[in-house]
Amino acid sequence: MVSINQLVDIVEGIAGVKLNRNYNLKAPKGVNGRNSDNTLIKKLLNWEPSISLHDGLEKTYAWIYDEMVKK
């Protein structure tokens, strides 16, 4: 399970930046976090993630960065 703030923390670390976070406390509240229940895919396909969220985001960030630099 990861909160949006935790997700931003991870991406900030990967990007080497610190973002200014602004919160609208009057906005509707959503869920506190998200997680994935992979029991069904493990049962049906005998598959489970082999890469951590941090490592996956790192690879995704690098790919997006490279695509942006190309343009």
Side-chain angles (χ1 to χ4, degrees):
M1 183 147 168
V2 62
S3 71
I4 296 300
N5 278 326
Q6 290 169 321
L7 193 58
V8 172
D9 289 340
I10 294 169
V11 175
E12 283 177 333
I14 292 167
V17 300
K18 185 67 178 162
L19 300 173
N20 182 23
R21 301 178 196 187
N22 297 307
Y23 300 92
N24 180 354
L25 300 178
K26 294 181 182 179
K29 304 287 186 272
V31 296
N32 289 328
R34 297 276 184 202
N35 64 347
S36 175
D37 180 355
N38 296 327
T39 54
L40 183 59
I41 198 164
K42 173 71 173 163
K43 179 180 174 184
L44 295 177
L45 301 178
N46 197 32
W47 179 88
E48 60 188 350
S50 60
I51 189 165
S52 70
L53 176 61
H54 182 278
D55 291 347
L57 287 172
E58 207 167 41
K59 289 181 179 195
T60 302
Y61 182 90
W63 178 82
I64 292 169
Y65 182 87
D66 291 345
E67 291 297 308
M68 296 302 293
V69 169
K70 286 180 190 177
K71 294 183 189 243

